[in-house]
Structures are given as structure tokens and as C-alpha cells.
Amino acid sequence: MVSKIDACKYFDSISHDVLLRQQSRLFKDPQLLVYFRNLLDTYSVSPGRGLPIGNLTSQYFANHYLAVADHFLKEQLRLPAMLRYMDDVLMFENSLQELRFAIDCYRRYLSEELQLEIHPPVVNRTKFGVPFLGYVVYGHGLRLNRRSKLRFDSKLEELTSKQKSGAIGEQEYASRVTCLMAFVRKASTEGLRRHIMNNGMYLQGL
């Protein structure tokens, strides 16, 4: 069994005080901790909470913030397997009952220790595919999830419209569509890519 869990408004919900306590356990230089405090004081969504999305320091802080929860899952709950990218977490257990217990413990830990709440978890059997980072992972390969497919269609249509209207040139069109294709190419999307090529949408700018 597998569950996909993510935090509600993760970057906006990160507590400055909790984060600084974590940093103080890692770094013993008082001046460095002052720099961290001054940096965090430059931005907040609500009093004492929030990291600016896009800052390099925010990426580090946000990834580190949940590291203690990783240790909780592995060392205290003894979860058979888990995977995390930022706040997207996959939890694996041998039975639905064990998985639900782990989810409840994880939810309580995040709330009490990190002041975070989670979205309703997605629970499924691994044989039906594991949703993660825009894909659905199967034992035999990857597929795009529905949201990624819709986003891909929307961006491709937007770029094609801009290219036809002259808003962007053919070189920029080709470059940006190549990036889109690189994302979908990782999944089993041969039929989708062939359809695009046959319609001339991609070749038009190359």
C-alpha cells in the first residue's frame, strides 16, 4: 500500500521560530544564526511564517524543515519505505491498517512539532500506480498524470498561438517546446508525441 501526502501551503506555513531552532542545532556560530534570523525577517505571509518561493535559501530551508519528519518515519515508526521531494511524501506499508496508522502519526507529528497541516492523503495499492511529481509510477514505466497532461496541452497551445501571431519567433518557439517535450518524453507518451508531430504543431517551429 502507498499514500501520497503533501502539506497545505507548505512554503507559506513554515514557522521561522521552528526553523531557527533546527538551524541552531546544526550551526553553532551565533553570527550565522543572526544572519538567518535577519534573512527570515525580510519576508512573511503571516506573523513569523513563510518563505519566499524562488530564493535559493528558501529551497534549502524548506527541504531541511521536514528532515526531522523523515527521521521520525524511518527511525520511530519503522516505515518499510518512504520517499520525499520537498513536501511531497510517499509512504509505503504492507497493509491498509498499518498505513492509516502511519498517516495518523505523521499528521500528528507535523502538527505538533512543525506546525504544519496536510491535505487529505491519497491512498492506493502500488499495483495501480504511484502518483509522484507529475507522473504515475508503475512497475513497467511512467505515465503522465491527468494534471500534467492538461498543463502540457495548455502550454503547448499557448506557445503555438504566440508563434502563429508573431509574438514569439520560431527559434524561441522551438526552444520552449523542446523543454515541454523533454518532460513528457520521460513517460510513456509515444502516442501523444506522434500526434503532435503529425499535426505539425511541433515541427512548425523547428
Side-chain angles (χ1 to χ4, degrees):
M1 299 294 297
V2 61
S3 177
K4 181 181 181 298
I5 298 173
D6 64 313
C8 300
K9 298 181 180 180
Y10 180 52
F11 274 72
D12 291 349
S13 300
I14 289 177
S15 165
H16 294 178
D17 288 338
V18 173
L19 179 59
L20 286 168
R21 283 199 299 271
Q22 293 178 343
Q23 298 304 308
S24 68
R25 289 194 289 269
L26 280 179
F27 305 103
K28 301 306 178 184
D29 184 345
Q31 188 59 51
L32 180 60
L33 297 175
V34 170
Y35 289 148
F36 287 155
R37 166 61 76 180
N38 292 340
L39 181 62
L40 292 174
D41 285 344
T42 63
Y43 179 90
S44 64
V45 176
S46 59
R49 286 179 178 267
L51 296 177
I53 296 176
N55 281 14
L56 290 178
T57 51
S58 296
Q59 302 301 310
Y60 165 76
F61 286 151
N63 189 49
H64 174 73
Y65 195 77
L66 279 171
V68 292
D70 297 341
H71 288 285
F72 171 75
L73 290 176
K74 293 183 291 185
E75 296 166 11
Q76 296 190 40
L77 288 187
R78 303 286 184 179
L79 208 67
M82 58 84 61
L83 179 67
R84 178 173 68 85
Y85 177 79
M86 207 57 71
D87 67 311
D88 288 327
V89 178
L90 294 180
M91 298 169 52
F92 297 85
E93 261 295 3
N94 297 315
S95 70
L96 179 58
Q97 182 179 3
E98 291 172 310
L99 185 58
R100 285 176 173 168
F101 174 77
I103 292 170
D104 288 341
C105 291
Y106 188 64
R107 178 190 289 111
R108 187 164 55 251
Y109 182 88
L110 293 189
S111 177
E112 295 175 355
E113 301 295 330
L114 300 178
Q115 301 178 22
L116 296 175
E117 302 300 326
I118 63 174
H119 290 113
V122 177
V123 177
N124 209 343
R125 295 185 182 276
T126 54
K127 68 178 182 181
F128 296 130
V130 178
F132 199 58
L133 302 181
Y135 300 99
V136 181
V137 184
Y138 296 89
H140 53 77
L142 296 176
R143 291 184 182 176
L144 288 181
N145 66 20
R146 184 175 181 275
R147 185 176 179 182
S148 294
K149 173 67 165 52
L150 292 174
R151 187 186 300 117
F152 172 81
D153 290 342
S154 175
K155 288 186 176 181
L156 183 61
E157 183 178 351
E158 178 186 355
L159 288 174
T160 302
S161 176
K162 286 183 177 180
Q163 196 274 331
K164 287 182 178 179
S165 68
I168 60 175
E170 290 191 355
Q171 184 174 358
E172 182 179 353
Y173 174 79
S175 176
R176 294 173 67 176
V177 173
T178 297
C179 293
L180 287 179
M181 296 291 281
F183 176 77
V184 301
R185 188 177 289 116
K186 296 176 182 177
S188 302
T189 55
E190 183 178 351
L192 171 65
R193 288 182 278 122
R194 184 182 296 114
H195 172 72
I196 294 170
M197 300 289 280
N198 289 342
N199 285 345
M201 297 175 68
Y202 182 61
L203 291 176
Q204 179 181 354
L206 297 178

